[in-house]
Amino acid sequence: MPSNSQPASPTPSDISGAVAEELALYREKFRLRLPESLDELHGPTQGVVELPLHTAWSGLTSYDMSKPRQRMGLYRTVLHEGLRDDLPRYLNQDLLLQLWPVLRTLVGRTVRAVWEDAFPKLESRTRAAA
């Protein structure tokens, strides 16, 4: 009698292990982009900012810093898509600290956790704003 030799389906522990590994790699991707210190962030606080296509690949590339929604959109885009060299060029420490209590709700959980773990000043800023 021939045996039914189908590949075994992954068990829940196999799946959860794979998901955990993917999440760890995703988190590491953002962690490696971080500046050493928030003091490195000297990006613009006014004017119109043009993001390169590798950062703003799926939408707006020009942001008017005098418009709060566009300013928030620029920061959200750079936090998610910016490379290590983009962060100091396009983000400003004072503006990031000012925007963080709201901005943290607009970025993904992983981005938020990586930034707050690396820079406790961000998390304390959120508590102070609450």
Side-chain angles (χ1 to χ4, degrees):
M1 189 167 200
S3 68
N4 189 359
S5 60
Q6 292 182 349
S9 297
T11 65
S13 62
D14 293 340
I15 293 170
S16 63
V19 169
E21 186 176 332
E22 278 186 39
L23 288 173
L25 289 172
Y26 189 62
R27 183 180 176 92
E28 186 66 6
K29 174 182 99 167
F30 289 109
R31 194 191 64 71
L32 290 172
R33 295 177 183 179
L34 292 175
E36 293 293 319
S37 163
L38 291 178
D39 294 333
E40 294 178 29
L41 305 179
H42 296 290
T45 58
Q46 55 189 7
V48 175
V49 178
E50 298 284 338
L51 290 180
L53 287 177
H54 72 265
T55 302
W57 53 268
S58 70
L60 199 59
T61 59
S62 181
Y63 296 83
D64 184 340
M65 297 298 281
S66 69
K67 297 181 177 178
R69 292 185 91 178
Q70 287 190 27
R71 188 172 50 235
M72 195 71 74
L74 173 108
Y75 272 65
R76 181 176 184 268
T77 299
V78 172
L79 288 171
H80 275 275
E81 305 296 339
L83 302 177
R84 186 175 180 88
D85 291 343
D86 295 324
L87 300 176
R89 182 177 299 133
Y90 297 109
L91 301 180
N92 178 280
Q93 173 180 282
D94 294 334
L95 194 49
L96 178 65
L97 290 169
Q98 176 189 339
L99 296 175
W100 191 255
V102 173
L103 183 60
R104 72 183 302 277
T105 67
L106 302 175
V107 297
R109 187 178 343 180
T110 302
V111 171
R112 178 176 55 247
V114 166
W115 278 81
E116 288 181 347
D117 289 350
F119 307 112
K121 193 175 190 178
L122 291 172
E123 193 172 9
S124 65
R125 177 79 178 152
T126 300
R127 284 194 303 270

